[in-house]
Amino acid sequence: MSQKHLKEAFISNLNGTSLVEISLGLSLAPLCLLCRGLLLILYHLHYGKPLSSRKYSLLLDFLVLVSPLIFACTVLSPIIFFMPTIIAAFCAGIFSKIYSQRHETRVPFRQIVKDFQKTYLDPEYIPAITVFRVYINVLTSISILAVDFPQYPRRYAKTETYGTGVMDFGVGAFIFGNALVCPEVRQKSDVTQPRFSNLARQFFSVWPLIFLGIGRLLSVKSIEYHEHTSEYGVHWNFFFTLAFVRLAASLLLAIFPKNKSWIVAINLAVLYQLALNTTSLKTFILHGSNGRDTRAGFVNANREGLLSLFGYLAVYMASVQVGLCLLKCRSSVQGWIEAIRFSLLTVLALFLFLHLSQLYADPVSRRMANLSYCVWVVAHCLTLFVWFVATDLALVFTKLLVRGSSVPCCWDVVKPPGTSTQRGTEAVPPGREGKLSRVCLISAINKNQLLFFLLANVMTGTVNILIDTIHSQTAFTLSILHLYMFFNCLIMYILHAKNIVLKFW
């Protein structure tokens, strides 16, 4: 068997893992973010100033925000159930040290909590949205290379037909994260624009995705790079999916009221599932038009990529509704606590519906992007987002204990509405181009997200061409993964430090 076929077999015919393991794995990112924030506050408490060295800031961010995720999906995957507890205990220890050594010791803890609930936050910026999108990008970048090494558990890789793998979730989460910041969500409700103006804007903005999709197709075919055909098909890839979903969503949002996008999402997912169950559509996706997995003709060759667009479009529309709800003015901590409660009830309802959907409709299938897959992705994305919001609130609470302390990509504390000066003394200047933003890896990746994803894909292909990944030893695998991620992060960091944004569309 050739090296190409060996690698294709290595990532094929897999069945995924449990929902519990995926949930626990996703909790690591918010915990790492919390740990980074607490360490920065502790540094400020001890030295009376923030960590200003760019070199040490990059090193801290990489070691705390990225490196644990590499270990979690490789050598530490057997103890993944214990990792959240270990990191949470470490964070609790740091918080205890901060609380015991803070300068203002006379204020009772109960009073601190009451003051915290009345705190006002910057309503113009929700850091959890930025962090969510960046971390999905980081997790995806780690997985697309790590999956080719034997240290990456096969249960985390993309499933063949049914099942819930970590990488299956990553695809849907990428769609979800894109919709959170789409023009229809960011556009103010009181701004009147032509109905199809956003659609025209999307036509112009998706051409780089089409170009990247064509580039990936040509490069993969020309060098005979290994590929999982049942993922999207022979010619289709994720860049095409993302481009067409964005165009179709803009068309739907131009026709239907955007505040009813959840209704459109439900109708899309349910009708698509009905078509799968009541017609020969499911058989066609799984086995082709002749029932023997034919790939003759464009539609047969790319049936998974073409028909899964309906499911991904449903996820996108659901995320638009989530984005609209998030951008409602919640300027106080208490308001966000209420938002967390409502989100948790929604997540509970979604997981209940997921159980019923898998029982009576179809198990989760990323290959078809069926109803169960859509519900699963939205439920887990909401769960992850709630964890990031809770992390931000915990860091805001800790910052109040140490006056003057700051954490990049965390909420700014502002004065209550109606006061003469809107921003508090701890706030970062408008636009977040201040010193704190320049030394943050999350901000750096956020500024050039598409470039980061493209660079990760190019580096993944390069590594696979140069290295026999299947037979790599553990120490070598960890070294390659760390060098690969550090190089990608360093490029983003340098571009951010020079205030370069490679986006011209």
Side-chain angles (χ1 to χ4, degrees), residues 298-314:
F298 180 79
V299 177
N300 263 306
N302 303 285
R303 55 184 185 268
E304 294 91 350
L306 294 171
L307 292 169
S308 63
L309 288 173
F310 292 103
Y312 289 126
L313 182 57

Side-chain angles (χ1 to χ4, degrees), residues 107-328:
V107 183
F109 184 78
R110 185 175 297 179
Q111 184 60 42
I112 296 174
V113 174
K114 288 182 180 179
D115 293 341
F116 168 67
Q117 291 177 339
K118 297 175 183 177
T119 300
Y120 281 85
L121 306 170
D122 183 0
E124 299 298 321
Y125 176 59
I126 304 173
I129 294 179
T130 299
V131 174
F132 176 91
R133 298 182 70 242
V134 167
Y135 254 116
I136 291 301
N137 216 330
V138 169
L139 289 167
T140 302
S141 299
I142 293 173
S143 294
I144 60 175
L145 177 59
V147 70
D148 294 315
F149 290 92
Q151 289 76 19
Y152 189 87
R154 295 302 89 193
R155 65 185 186 276
Y156 290 176
K158 288 179 180 176
T159 56
E160 187 67 29
T161 302
Y162 294 105
T164 52
V166 174
M167 294 185 71
D168 293 318
F169 169 75
V171 177
F174 211 98
I175 297 286
F176 189 95
N178 265 265
L180 285 177
V181 294
C182 70
E184 291 82 4
V185 171
R186 289 184 281 109
Q187 181 180 306
K188 300 292 184 181
S189 57
D190 56 346
V191 175
T192 56
Q193 289 186 346
R195 175 174 288 190
F196 293 95
S197 61
N198 287 322
L199 178 61
R201 192 183 310 169
Q202 287 285 26
F203 264 110
F204 180 69
S205 65
V206 301
W207 75 261
L209 294 173
I210 301 292
F211 177 76
L212 291 173
I214 295 172
R216 188 185 191 282
L217 171 63
L218 294 176
S219 60
V220 166
K221 299 301 180 184
S222 62
I223 64 175
E224 294 189 350
Y225 189 77
H226 67 278
E227 53 185 332
H228 194 184
T229 306
S230 64
E231 185 179 349
Y232 295 107
V234 177
H235 312 102
W236 203 263
N237 57 57
F238 182 69
F239 291 111
F240 293 141
T241 293
L242 186 56
F244 280 90
V245 165
R246 283 174 58 174
L247 285 175
S250 289
L251 177 60
L252 290 175
L253 290 168
I255 298 173
F256 301 100
K258 63 182 182 180
N259 61 347
K260 302 296 182 184
S261 58
W262 65 278
I263 298 177
V264 179
I266 291 174
N267 277 287
L268 270 172
V270 171
L271 290 174
Y272 177 50
Q273 185 63 53
L274 284 173
L276 288 172
N277 285 2
T278 59
T279 68
S280 59
L281 189 62
K282 184 190 299 185
T283 303
F284 172 70
I285 294 175
L286 298 181
H287 306 293
S289 58
N290 65 351
R292 289 177 292 182
D293 200 27
T294 178
R295 293 287 174 178
F298 180 79
V299 177
N300 263 306
N302 303 285
R303 55 184 185 268
E304 294 91 350
L306 294 171
L307 292 169
S308 63
L309 288 173
F310 292 103
Y312 289 126
L313 182 57
V315 171
Y316 191 100
M317 296 298 289
S319 180
V320 168
Q321 188 68 59
V322 173
L324 292 172
C325 292
L326 291 174
L327 292 182
K328 289 181 180 177

